[in-house]
């Protein structure tokens, strides 16, 4: 039985799962090919990998997932021998290396544990972003996660959001720093207070990929009770005006480009005027109460340099006082085995934490822990989790990159390998200058983004230093390398796309990119 309906007919949702199973069975019997199967499975967020196995994308709004669900994911991965889980730049989990015969039972078990499959791939709305420190940050405007979750509940039951000309991406930022880069979402909301009332600055029509474009501001202040009306208007607009004859030109940003800024805003306002949606936002998460009951520890503080540096760059203060902190777990390549997930969930539970957040940087955030837990967590990193560099001892695997062509069917260049080359140069530099590392880490992780193709999954289009992987014939030899992009930023009132001269940069010149980053910070 599907455990998530929110107004959608359980029968219709189960029917889509039965249809998937029927087509998987036909595929296994050799009666249909991968192309026909994709038509059925991709709208559910299920794709075939390059190795012939499959990826299942779990919808996790804002990256917010309970520890109990995380443990359930690990159990299911073990039961069906799933290769690994990948944290995506849209704050969700993808189960990788799934055998086709296991798609149906895995899907049903996840759905039965309130992790349903509808949308998330193909021409549907994608996982909704929210600031990973929402409800926690010292300087946030207000908590936006309940709004993201409410929007997901609405779109999950709205058929047009599943039958679009092309994908549609939403995001919510809880503060003026705009952590989700609203200006390059199809529809981006930035929390704002005006005259004591909650609302949003709203951008529409942005997007990254081929022919990237910055969105336009459609509201300087949208009252909070109209955000669903706004999202429905954009969904309807794309449904009606997206180019269904040319998939490569079907995204909302191409409607924006085709019409121009003024006409696009005019069309949006027309749809907004005619849009109706009556949805109440509810917040079932008592984070403040949980912050008061976190486990405290008596544990000797390790007396060595890496611990002291880690406790500086991995920790962020929260609005719950000096003793309650957030901790970032740096996940190499965003990849975790089932045993890793189970141990991380167990560690969170040991700290009395009921939930974690998956971040756009493909890491995990322990949003609230008592600072006395730091030595305990560090000890765990060095023992039961020692095969994962969760404390960023090295930059290897920690520069944001897409999953790469060894897995992804549309990937061109091996983005993780390009990332590793840059990481090796950074590691060498900080071996010589170790005291600089704590102050440089965050800017480096924000600056460098590596994508394996023009789809820009890493966000290189709005990064300070970005690589777009490609292959080119050099002296009659097909050579892997990248285009260099520089100067991008997605900041309110000062946003710009990164520039590239499209000069091919072979692999052996990748180290120059790191030196460029060093010079930019001088």
């Amino acid at each position: 039985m599907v455990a998530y309906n929110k107004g959608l007919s359980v029968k219709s949702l189960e029917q889509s799962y039965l249809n998937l199973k029927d087509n998987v069975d036909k595929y296994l019997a050799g009666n249909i090919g991968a192309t026909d199967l994709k038509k059925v499975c991709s709208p559910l967020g299920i794709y075939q990998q390059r190795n012939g196995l499959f990826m299942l994308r779990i919808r996790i709004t804002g990256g917010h997932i309970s520890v109990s669900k995380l443990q359930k994911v690990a159990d299911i991965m073990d039961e069906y021998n799933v290769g690994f889980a990948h944290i995506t730049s849209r704050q969700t989990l993808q189960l990788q290396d799934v055998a086709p015969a296991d798609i149906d039972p895995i899907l049903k078990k996840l759905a039965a544990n309130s992790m349903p499959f509808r949308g998330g791939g193909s021409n549907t709305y994608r996982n909704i972003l929210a600031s990973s420190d929402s409800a926690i940050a010292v300087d946030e405007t207000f908590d936006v996660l309940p709004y993201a979750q409410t929007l997901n509940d609405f779109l999950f039951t709205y058929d047009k959001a599943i039958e679009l000309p092309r994908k549609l991406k939403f995001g919510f930022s809880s503060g003026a720093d705009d952590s989700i880069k609203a200006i390059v979402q199809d529809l981006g909301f930035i929390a704002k207070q005006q005259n004591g009332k909650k609302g949003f600055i709203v951008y529409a029509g942005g997007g990254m990929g081929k022919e990237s474009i910055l969105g336009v501001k459609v509201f300087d202040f949208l009252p909070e009770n109209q955000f669903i009306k706004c999202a429905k208007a954009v969904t309807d607009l794309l449904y009606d005006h997206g180019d269904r004859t040319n998939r490569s030109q079907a995204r909302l940003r191409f409607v924006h480009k085709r019409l121009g800024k003024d006409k696009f805003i005019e069309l949006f306002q027309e749809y907004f005027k005619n849009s109706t949606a009556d949805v109440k936002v509810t917040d079932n998460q008592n984070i403040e109460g949980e912050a008061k009951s976190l486990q405290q520890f008596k544990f000797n503080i390790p007396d060595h340099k890496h611990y002291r540096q880690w406790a500086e760059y991995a920790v962020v203060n929260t609005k719950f006082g000096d003793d309650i902190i957030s901790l970032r777990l740096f996940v190499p390549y965003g990849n975790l085995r089932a045993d890793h997930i189970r141990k991380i969930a167990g560690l969170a539970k040991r700290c009395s934490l009921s939930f974690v957040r998956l971040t756009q940087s493909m890491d995990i955030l322990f949003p609230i822990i008592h600072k006395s837990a730091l030595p305990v967590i560090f000890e765990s990193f060095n023992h039961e989790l020692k095969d994962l560099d969760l404390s960023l001892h090295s930059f290897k695997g920690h520069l944001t990159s897409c999953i790469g062509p060894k897995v992804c069917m549309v990937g061109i260049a091996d983005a993780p390998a390009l990332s590793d080359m840059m990481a090796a140069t950074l590691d060498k530099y900080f071996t010589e200058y170790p005291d600089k590392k704590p102050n440089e880490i965050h800017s480096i992780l924000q600056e460098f983004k590596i994508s394996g193709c023009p789809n820009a999954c890493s966000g290189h289009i709005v990064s300070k230093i970005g690589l777009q992987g490609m292959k080119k014939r050099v002296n009659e030899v097909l050579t892997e390398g990248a285009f260099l992009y520089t100067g991008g930023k997605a900041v309110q009132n000062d946003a710009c796309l990164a520039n590239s001269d499209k000069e091919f940069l072979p692999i052996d010149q990748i180290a120059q990119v790191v030196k460029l980053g060093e010079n930019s910070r001088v």
Side-chain angles (χ1 to χ4, degrees), residues 209-483:
K210 292 181 180 178
E211 300 184 50
S212 301
I213 189 173
L214 298 175
V216 295
K217 186 184 288 188
V218 291
F219 288 107
D220 188 60
F221 184 80
L222 176 75
E224 63 169 328
N225 63 351
Q226 296 184 28
F227 81 102
I228 293 287
K229 176 180 178 178
C230 182
K232 182 177 181 293
V234 157
T235 305
D236 291 348
L237 191 160
L238 179 60
Y239 184 89
D240 291 343
H241 293 272
D243 188 348
R244 294 181 184 269
T245 66
N246 184 352
R247 194 168 186 267
S248 67
Q249 298 282 310
R251 292 283 303 273
L252 185 67
R253 68 177 182 269
F254 292 104
V255 180
H256 174 188
K257 280 192 170 187
R258 187 168 67 244
L259 295 177
K261 175 182 175 180
D262 293 340
K263 290 291 185 182
F264 176 75
I265 293 174
E266 183 181 323
L267 181 63
F268 165 80
Q269 293 295 349
E270 179 183 331
Y271 271 81
F272 179 77
K273 180 181 178 181
N274 294 324
S275 178
T276 57
D278 184 18
V279 177
K280 184 178 180 180
V281 176
T282 57
D283 182 5
N284 298 319
Q285 184 78 16
N286 182 16
I287 295 178
E288 185 173 359
E290 188 163 328
K292 295 176 181 178
S293 58
L294 294 170
Q295 179 67 44
Q296 298 184 37
F297 298 87
K298 291 183 179 180
F299 204 89
N300 292 330
I301 296 176
D303 185 23
H304 56 79
K305 192 168 188 175
H306 183 54
Y307 173 82
R308 292 192 296 272
Q309 289 190 334
W310 168 77
E312 183 178 346
Y313 61 70
V315 168
V316 177
N317 293 329
T318 73
K319 64 182 182 182
F320 301 114
D322 294 339
D323 290 336
I324 309 302
I325 58 174
S326 289
L327 179 70
R328 181 173 174 180
L329 281 63
F330 301 91
V331 181
Y333 309 103
N335 295 339
L336 297 164
R337 299 192 310 260
D339 63 304
H340 293 146
I341 293 175
R342 185 174 292 105
K343 289 171 184 175
I344 289 170
L347 189 57
K349 193 173 182 180
R350 187 179 176 189
C351 296
S352 303
L353 186 59
S354 69
F355 68 98
V356 301
R357 301 263 174 88
L358 310 179
T359 73
Q360 286 181 270
S361 59
M362 301 187 291
D363 294 321
I364 294 175
L365 186 73
F366 279 11
I368 48 170
I369 59 169
H370 195 275
K371 67 179 182 181
S372 64
L374 285 177
V376 176
I377 293 170
F378 191 75
E379 180 78 5
S380 179
F381 287 179
N382 289 328
H383 288 86
E384 56 261 38
L385 285 161
K386 64 182 179 181
D387 60 336
L388 270 183
D389 180 18
L390 294 173
S391 64
L392 210 155
H393 195 276
S394 163
F395 279 94
K396 182 177 171 63
H398 293 297
L399 301 180
T400 303
S401 71
C402 63
I403 198 168
K406 292 179 181 178
V407 176
C408 179
M409 294 284 275
V410 299
I412 297 172
D414 192 343
L418 296 176
S419 169
D420 286 349
M421 292 174 189
M422 296 167 68
T425 303
L426 288 166
D427 286 342
K428 182 179 179 181
Y429 175 80
F430 286 113
T431 298
E432 297 177 16
Y433 305 100
D435 292 337
K436 292 185 177 182
K437 187 174 180 179
N439 295 327
E440 296 279 0
I441 278 181
H442 289 293
S443 61
I444 288 170
L445 296 181
Q446 290 171 2
E447 284 175 9
F448 295 107
K449 308 291 181 184
I450 305 99
S451 300
C453 76
N455 285 345
C457 292
S458 74
H460 73 274
I461 293 294
V462 287
S463 67
K464 196 170 185 179
I465 309 288
L467 291 178
Q468 178 184 302
M470 64 168 297
K471 292 180 180 178
K472 181 180 179 180
R473 289 200 173 275
V474 179
N475 298 324
E476 301 304 317
V477 176
L478 189 61
T479 304
E480 194 162 293
F483 288 148

Side-chain angles (χ1 to χ4, degrees), residues 13-64:
L13 192 56
E14 288 186 335
Q15 185 58 50
S16 70
Y17 295 171
L18 289 172
N19 188 37
L20 172 67
K21 183 181 185 306
D22 180 56
N23 279 270
V24 169
D25 289 344
K26 290 178 181 177
Y27 172 77
L28 289 170
N31 295 327
I32 63 171
T35 301
D36 288 329
L37 178 60
K38 183 179 179 181
K39 295 174 184 177
V40 177
C41 68
S42 62
L44 294 170
I46 300 169
Y47 287 88
Q48 189 171 37
Q49 301 173 179
R50 197 175 289 272
N51 63 3
L53 298 175
F54 285 78
M55 173 273 284
L56 278 66
R57 185 177 291 150
I58 305 170
R59 186 178 287 284
I60 304 172
T61 303
H64 182 97

Side-chain angles (χ1 to χ4, degrees), residues 58-318:
I58 305 170
R59 186 178 287 284
I60 304 172
T61 303
H64 182 97
I65 183 169
S66 69
V67 170
S68 60
K69 283 186 180 180
L70 210 56
Q71 290 172 320
K72 180 57 68 174
V73 169
D75 291 343
I76 292 171
M77 288 175 67
D78 269 342
E79 183 177 356
Y80 293 97
N81 198 30
V82 173
F84 64 100
H86 177 68
I87 304 170
T88 77
S89 57
R90 291 202 70 81
Q91 299 178 288
T92 190
L93 274 178
Q94 294 178 172
L95 302 188
Q96 308 284 164
D97 288 350
V98 175
D102 294 331
I103 292 174
D104 178 66
I106 290 175
L107 180 149
K108 287 179 177 176
K109 288 196 175 184
L110 287 168
N113 285 276
S114 298
M115 290 177 276
F117 287 75
R118 191 175 198 242
S122 190
N123 305 325
T124 71
Y125 83 102
R126 300 302 180 89
N127 202 57
I128 299 172
L129 298 178
S131 298
S132 55
D133 58 358
S134 190
I136 295 150
V138 173
D139 57 351
E140 77 170 359
T141 307
F142 59 83
D143 180 14
V144 296
L145 184 64
Y147 298 85
Q149 292 171 330
T150 301
L151 178 57
N152 180 66
D153 290 347
F154 171 77
L155 293 173
F156 195 87
T157 68
Y158 190 49
D159 286 341
K160 284 186 178 181
I162 310 298
E163 301 166 355
L164 294 164
R166 198 64 184 95
K167 69 182 81 169
L168 189 60
K169 296 181 177 181
F170 299 88
F172 291 80
S173 280
S174 62
D177 64 334
D178 187 19
S179 60
I180 61 96
K181 299 179 175 60
I183 202 166
V184 287
Q185 304 298 323
D186 289 293
L187 191 68
F189 298 88
I190 304 173
K192 182 178 180 179
Q193 293 266 13
Q194 183 170 292
N195 299 324
K197 295 182 179 180
K198 292 180 180 179
F200 298 96
I201 299 168
V202 184
Y203 288 91
M208 295 182 286
K210 292 181 180 178
E211 300 184 50
S212 301
I213 189 173
L214 298 175
V216 295
K217 186 184 288 188
V218 291
F219 288 107
D220 188 60
F221 184 80
L222 176 75
E224 63 169 328
N225 63 351
Q226 296 184 28
F227 81 102
I228 293 287
K229 176 180 178 178
C230 182
K232 182 177 181 293
V234 157
T235 305
D236 291 348
L237 191 160
L238 179 60
Y239 184 89
D240 291 343
H241 293 272
D243 188 348
R244 294 181 184 269
T245 66
N246 184 352
R247 194 168 186 267
S248 67
Q249 298 282 310
R251 292 283 303 273
L252 185 67
R253 68 177 182 269
F254 292 104
V255 180
H256 174 188
K257 280 192 170 187
R258 187 168 67 244
L259 295 177
K261 175 182 175 180
D262 293 340
K263 290 291 185 182
F264 176 75
I265 293 174
E266 183 181 323
L267 181 63
F268 165 80
Q269 293 295 349
E270 179 183 331
Y271 271 81
F272 179 77
K273 180 181 178 181
N274 294 324
S275 178
T276 57
D278 184 18
V279 177
K280 184 178 180 180
V281 176
T282 57
D283 182 5
N284 298 319
Q285 184 78 16
N286 182 16
I287 295 178
E288 185 173 359
E290 188 163 328
K292 295 176 181 178
S293 58
L294 294 170
Q295 179 67 44
Q296 298 184 37
F297 298 87
K298 291 183 179 180
F299 204 89
N300 292 330
I301 296 176
D303 185 23
H304 56 79
K305 192 168 188 175
H306 183 54
Y307 173 82
R308 292 192 296 272
Q309 289 190 334
W310 168 77
E312 183 178 346
Y313 61 70
V315 168
V316 177
N317 293 329
T318 73

